[in-house]
Amino acid sequence: MGPHPAVAAIRLAVRRTLADLAAEAGSTFTAPVREPRERVPGVPVAAAALPAAVGTTLIGNAHRHPSGLPRTPAAPGSPLVLVAVSGGADSMALAIAAAFEAPKIGLRVGAVTVDHGLQSGSAERAGQVADRLRELGLDPVETIAVRVGREGGPEAAARDARYAALDAAAERHRAVAVLLGHTRDDQAETVLLGLARGSGARSLAGMPAQKGRYRRPLLELDRAATRQACSAQAIQVWDDPHNCDPAYTRSRVRHEVLPVLEKHLGGGVVEALARTARLFRDDADALDQWAALAERDIRTGEGTLDVGKLSELPPAVRRRVLRRAALRAGCPAGDLFARHLETIDLLVTGWRGQGPLHLPGGVEATRRCGTLVFRRQGD
């Protein structure tokens, strides 16, 4: 009898991501040598043929695996993949699937649990999650306490602190990638938030399956699948009360906005929003490539942008060139919105002698002698 369908789906998604990582890392898995053995009464042939690994840590609990066999860990020097684990169903399902699949292709798998310190007892809870992950065979497992600031609001500040901790852990352990447990439901929420903020096509493109060291294997699966997978494998999970707190915008989208859309527009809204994100991402990627090529011709020897050549570009490409210039000058990507780009664009298309524009991050945009100049104030 095979695994539960949700378990199988998650393992397959993780296997594909890990296979790509193994190929990138040049990792190959050599199966353990199996010496012929006499048939042991009451023991399956496959189990009798697998030599015991003395002194090794088994990946996962053998009785939970459909094969009934323990996993053989990858060699100590094999490439390491880290899983970001909060203790919720999404990240726990991802972690146990990675622990099951990674050794088969010669990868080690560890985990990082970030303690944001926003709730009473959060440190103890992070420790419990780490202990659970070690029992499942992940190694190394690390808990990191962070201090959440206030810039950009509580959600953005917590996200910035979390990614900074994950980046530091990946560098420290020399991990080839960090796996994130975002699902199709998270993608739908991200699209709605981007639509509400009017942040443009790139925001509507949602979260990428791959960006730098980060991978999101579960973006094509819904949140219900991760809960079913944890239940089927008797994996204990923790539900963060912040996920139900209406003080947080994403929580309101999850528990109020999406249910209303599903009720009045019919089922399939989450899947449709996720599909929209994929389509927007293809378009946004193509426009970004066009903008990168156009910028080479538009940038002057002094590093400014030629207004005449900018005006000849389609608006969607021109605004991407302007965004690239603003980011290069020091604008924080999370604080640069469509309204900022529209105002900068008026320096090209609606020039009436406007003065310098003050952008996030202390960056100033000025039109001067037929060029646009982006610089930090005071430089």
Side-chain angles (χ1 to χ4, degrees):
M1 181 178 177
H4 185 283
V7 175
I10 290 172
R11 286 180 181 174
L12 176 59
V14 170
R15 188 184 312 143
R16 289 170 173 165
T17 297
L18 293 179
D20 290 341
L21 288 171
E24 293 171 13
S27 172
T28 56
F29 174 67
T30 303
V33 177
R34 289 169 169 80
E35 298 294 339
R37 292 191 176 188
E38 295 182 3
R39 177 67 181 271
V40 180
V43 178
V45 173
L50 182 65
V54 179
T56 58
T57 301
L58 300 182
I59 300 297
N61 294 326
H63 71 275
R64 286 183 183 150
H65 296 163
S67 63
L69 298 178
R71 310 306 308 173
T72 301
S78 301
L80 172 68
V81 176
L82 292 175
V83 185
V85 184
S86 66
D90 299 344
S91 59
M92 289 301 293
L94 175 61
I96 184 59
F100 183 83
E101 294 292 340
K104 295 191 291 185
I105 53 177
L107 295 175
R108 293 182 297 131
V109 59
V112 177
T113 298
V114 178
D115 171 23
H116 298 86
L118 299 177
Q119 301 168 3
S120 176
S122 62
E124 292 80 6
R125 203 152 29 241
Q128 292 169 3
V129 171
D131 290 342
R132 205 174 307 147
L133 293 168
R134 293 187 186 99
E135 292 172 1
L136 293 170
L138 284 81
D139 181 45
V141 175
E142 184 176 1
T143 60
I144 303 176
V146 298
R147 177 172 295 181
V148 177
R150 297 183 178 181
E151 186 175 352
E155 291 171 283
R159 182 177 60 250
D160 290 344
R162 180 167 59 254
Y163 277 101
L166 292 173
D167 282 334
E171 293 291 338
R172 189 162 50 252
H173 294 290
R174 298 182 179 181
V176 296
V178 178
L179 305 186
L180 304 175
H182 295 120
T183 65
R184 186 165 57 192
D185 298 77
D186 296 302
Q187 186 74 294
E189 294 160 9
T190 300
V191 173
L192 282 178
L193 288 169
L195 183 63
R197 292 166 180 161
S199 302
R202 177 54 67 184
S203 180
L204 296 179
M207 298 176 288
Q210 174 181 338
K211 184 176 182 180
R213 63 166 51 99
Y214 293 98
R215 302 289 193 278
R216 295 179 172 90
L218 308 184
L219 273 185
E220 298 297 322
L221 302 174
D222 58 35
R223 190 174 291 135
T226 65
R227 289 197 169 276
Q228 292 168 5
C230 288
S231 177
Q233 297 172 102
I235 301 298
Q236 183 181 357
V237 299
W238 174 70
D239 291 317
D240 187 347
H242 280 170
N243 291 335
C244 299
D245 189 343
Y248 295 93
T249 306
R250 184 174 287 271
S251 175
R252 293 197 298 274
V253 169
R254 180 175 302 178
H255 298 288
E256 298 176 21
V257 178
L258 274 172
V260 169
L261 292 177
E262 291 278 357
K263 177 181 178 181
H264 293 285
L265 300 181
V269 169
V270 168
E271 183 177 356
L273 288 170
R275 184 168 60 251
T276 297
R278 290 195 299 272
L279 296 173
F280 267 108
R281 181 161 299 281
D282 289 343
D283 292 348
D285 287 346
L287 290 169
D288 284 347
Q289 292 176 15
W290 187 352
L293 293 173
E295 187 180 14
R296 299 176 188 175
D297 182 54
I298 289 170
R299 186 167 292 279
T300 68
E302 294 75 30
T304 61
L305 300 180
D306 186 300
V307 170
K309 293 180 178 179
L310 273 172
S311 64
E312 297 173 357
L313 293 174
V317 179
R318 182 173 62 245
R319 289 173 185 170
R320 278 169 166 76
V321 173
L322 297 177
R323 184 176 190 274
R324 289 168 60 91
L327 293 178
R328 188 179 294 107
C331 278
D335 296 333
L336 189 63
F337 300 127
R339 65 176 184 273
H340 296 121
L341 297 177
E342 290 169 359
T343 305
I344 302 171
D345 198 36
L346 289 176
L347 295 178
V348 178
T349 62
W351 172 244
R352 298 187 303 277
Q354 300 98 310
L357 299 177
H358 301 292
L359 304 173
V363 173
E364 186 178 270
T366 309
R367 176 162 171 163
R368 183 187 304 160
C369 301
T371 66
L372 286 188
V373 181
F374 291 83
R375 66 179 182 87
R376 279 190 178 275
Q377 297 173 22
D379 290 353

